[in-house]
Amino acid sequence: MSAIWAALAQLHFLRPWWLLALLLVPLLVWRLRARARRRSGWREAVDAHLLPHLLEPGGSATGGAWTRRLALLGLLLALLALAGPSLRKQPQPLWQSRQPLVLALDLSRAALARDLPPTRLAQARAKLASLLRERAGGQVALVAFAEDAYTVAPLTDDAGNVALFLDALAPDVMPADGQRIDRAIAWSQRLLQQAGFPRGDILLLTDHADAAAIAMAAKAAAAGYRVSALGLGTAQGGVFETPGGLAQARLDAPSLRALATSGGGGYRRLTADAADLRALGVLEPRQADGAAARGASVKQWQDDGAWLLPLALACLLPLFRRGNVLVLLLAAALWLPSQPVAAQDAGNRHGTLWQRADQLAHAQLQEGIAAYTAKDYPRAIEKFSSLPGADAQYNLGNALAQAGRYDEALAAYDRALRQRPGMADASYNRAQVEAARRRQQQKQQQQKQQQKQQQKQGQQEQQQQGQQQPQPQQQQQERAQQQNGQQSAEPAASPGGGQAQQPGQQGAQQPPAGQPQPPPEAQAEAREKVQAQADAAQRQRMQEVLRKQEGQRAVTQADASVQARESPEQRERRQANEAWLQRVPDDPGALLRARFQLEARRRREGGGP
């Protein structure tokens, strides 16, 4: 009983205004009774005091008093269910309103100005790295612009993936120099629109804005996209190199402030700390975004009114006693919700009783995205495989690439591009996967070649060991001593009764002329001391040589086993590949440079972006 009373103490109505409808129940009862009395034909022909003796008690067209009472009870239960009674709370994750952010970085030659030491570009890279590391939630994209704007990284939830491209950003990766900020704003807006975001933020990192950029910022703001600016440089300016000589770039704060005002955003000059990013509102999105990104949740009342509906329908059953078909339909309606419905089968082109085909496809797409976010790539592949459309094939390609199935991923990207030509994200990811597949093939080929070399070298060593006879220990010691200019034989006795001196020591131990010679015992002790030092040094050198030989043998055995199985053609190919790899320069921006040049050529041939 205590548990029941505790539950009743938690009773809460989510829609309490429906309880006011209970006040209309007495009026409804009075109205029905009055109508029933008027419709009774016996009341007009028989006196009122005789009616109780002539009419059947409780008789009526609707089935008697009990029928009316059950109907009234069903009405009361239905009203209570509409009021939304709740007895418990359950935690619900906060909704994350995805506020995307597009970062547009100025990669003109002016970015190499040194008014922000060491350069503006270095300071901008550090600022972007801090933003990507500390931003709480929301998708992020990176755009580089000079004479035109290009996508470095499309919109993604993985900010760490965007940060990988920062070190490769430099003015030399751009096809042409310039500062077309208006094109950067237009391209950023296009990225947001293609991703399906009606609203978003655009942050420009540059030093000035012209009239065209201010006008484009106003258009972006009218479309729902907020444009902000982060100033690079100082008012005094800095010098940078150009093909025609030296030039100077200065920070034009008033023009950037006008651009931010026109774009509905803010302006701040780049600072060493994160105060500029916090002031612009790009470091900490809305409260709901930040809480959801950190996994926060809130407890909400659960609607338990659905449990009253079966009771209400059961009370209304007697009203349908003359329509058995309606009774059967009502029973079926009560029974069907308890049966499992394949609502998530997107293969049903016509939908189900509860959801349309597009709703089923959307639900399955969300399941695939959730599995991809959780890095459950096999389940994501399963969900995306049966979905139609270019977006589904693009997502399928991403899941297959993460699973290491590069060939299938390339086929999925090709299907997406056939269904939607010019899909920038699919083209970019396809190029990345193609490069990864080539690296994987080269690595596998190198591993096979190394295994063959190791096997071949192992066979050669075995053959050499079988042909080479072991030498006695004494001969090895003599050979080592001969290499170091020493002798291992005992010295012969001198005619004077002393021991002969070792070669090479005579000049050191023989005293000068005119001086007395030391006694034979002292000479013998000195010779023994010198010989002991020479022997210790020799042993140390031999141990070092043995250690080096063991290390080299361990390294070469691994390569020998691979090289042993190589054919002459494979050996020649391996040597050519090693020589080619040694000539390849270390250029992290080569991929971006090539991609931007291809994109610029495509735009020139197509007449626009």
Side-chain angles (χ1 to χ4, degrees), residues 65 95 147 154 283 476 594:
W95 170 254
E147 179 62 24
L283 193 60
Q476 295 178 359

Side-chain angles (χ1 to χ4, degrees), residues 99-115:
Q99 288 292 336
L101 172 65
V102 178
L103 304 170
L105 176 61
D106 185 354
L107 280 188
S108 63
R109 294 187 180 274
L112 299 178
R114 301 182 180 274
D115 49 353

Side-chain angles (χ1 to χ4, degrees), residues 246-466:
L246 297 178
Q248 189 173 17
R250 292 184 176 86
L251 174 63
D252 188 1
S255 64
L256 292 178
R257 192 174 290 108
L259 181 143
T261 303
S262 178
Y267 164 75
R268 286 294 184 277
R269 179 185 169 187
L270 188 143
T271 60
D273 55 6
D276 49 357
L277 299 178
R278 285 194 294 268
L280 294 175
V282 296
L283 193 60
E284 288 290 340
R286 295 182 182 179
Q287 185 67 24
D289 293 353
R294 298 183 179 94
S297 60
V298 63
K299 289 186 176 181
Q300 294 182 351
W301 291 100
Q302 298 300 304
D303 191 354
D304 297 325
W307 298 104
L308 298 176
L309 293 178
L311 297 176
L313 293 175
C315 293
L316 297 176
L317 278 177
L319 296 179
F320 302 96
R321 61 175 183 166
R322 290 187 178 182
N324 295 330
V325 177
L326 294 177
V327 174
L328 293 176
L329 292 177
L330 182 61
L334 293 175
W335 176 75
L336 284 176
S338 63
Q339 303 301 313
V341 179
Q344 302 301 327
D345 184 11
N348 188 355
R349 300 294 182 180
H350 303 287
T352 65
L353 293 174
W354 308 108
Q355 287 183 315
R356 301 189 308 272
D358 58 337
Q359 293 175 331
L360 297 179
H362 178 74
Q364 186 170 348
L365 178 64
Q366 295 301 319
E367 289 184 4
I369 294 175
Y372 183 87
T373 305
K375 297 183 179 181
D376 187 1
Y377 301 121
R379 179 173 175 79
I381 293 171
E382 178 185 357
K383 294 298 180 182
F384 292 143
S385 297
S386 59
L387 291 175
D391 293 333
Q393 294 301 316
Y394 167 74
N395 293 329
L396 176 61
N398 293 339
L400 290 170
Q402 293 292 344
R405 298 158 60 176
Y406 295 142
D407 294 335
E408 300 178 37
L410 293 175
Y413 289 136
D414 291 337
R415 290 192 296 270
L417 291 172
R418 283 196 300 267
Q419 297 179 15
R420 187 186 300 173
M423 193 174 184
D425 294 345
S427 301
Y428 174 75
N429 288 358
R430 191 190 187 286
Q432 297 290 329
V433 173
E434 179 68 25
R437 186 182 67 168
R438 288 197 297 268
R439 290 193 299 268
Q440 185 184 45
Q441 293 176 350
Q442 293 176 359
K443 184 177 180 181
Q444 292 176 354
Q445 185 177 4
Q446 291 176 0
Q447 289 177 353
K448 292 180 180 178
Q449 294 176 357
Q450 289 177 0
Q451 292 177 358
K452 293 180 180 179
Q453 292 175 1
Q454 291 175 0
Q455 292 180 358
K456 184 176 180 180
Q457 186 172 0
Q459 294 175 358
Q460 293 176 354
E461 289 183 355
Q462 291 178 359
Q463 294 176 359
Q464 293 175 1
Q465 291 177 0

Side-chain angles (χ1 to χ4, degrees), residues 18-148:
W18 278 101
L19 296 176
L20 296 177
L22 296 176
L23 299 177
L24 301 177
V25 174
L27 180 60
L28 179 62
V29 172
W30 174 80
R31 178 65 177 173
L32 291 176
R33 287 184 176 180
R35 186 177 180 181
R37 285 197 298 267
R38 288 196 303 268
R39 288 185 177 182
S40 178
W42 291 106
R43 296 182 183 277
E44 299 177 358
V46 182
D47 295 337
H49 63 281
L50 297 177
L51 286 177
H53 303 283
L54 298 176
L55 298 179
E56 182 179 355
S60 66
T62 59
W66 282 106
T67 301
R68 292 193 298 271
R69 292 169 186 172
L70 289 176
L72 180 61
L73 178 60
L75 178 61
L76 294 175
L77 292 175
L79 291 176
L80 290 176
L82 290 173
S86 180
L87 298 174
R88 68 190 189 283
K89 284 185 176 182
Q90 288 186 352
Q92 298 289 338
L94 291 176
W95 170 254
Q96 181 179 1
S97 178
R98 300 181 299 171
Q99 288 292 336
L101 172 65
V102 178
L103 304 170
L105 176 61
D106 185 354
L107 280 188
S108 63
R109 294 187 180 274
L112 299 178
R114 301 182 180 274
D115 49 353
L116 293 180
T119 61
R120 293 182 178 182
L121 180 59
Q123 292 282 355
R125 287 176 179 173
K127 181 62 64 174
L128 291 178
S130 176
L131 189 153
L132 295 173
R133 182 175 59 253
E134 299 180 11
R135 179 174 167 84
Q139 295 191 9
V140 184
L142 180 59
V143 171
F145 71 92
E147 179 62 24
D148 207 343

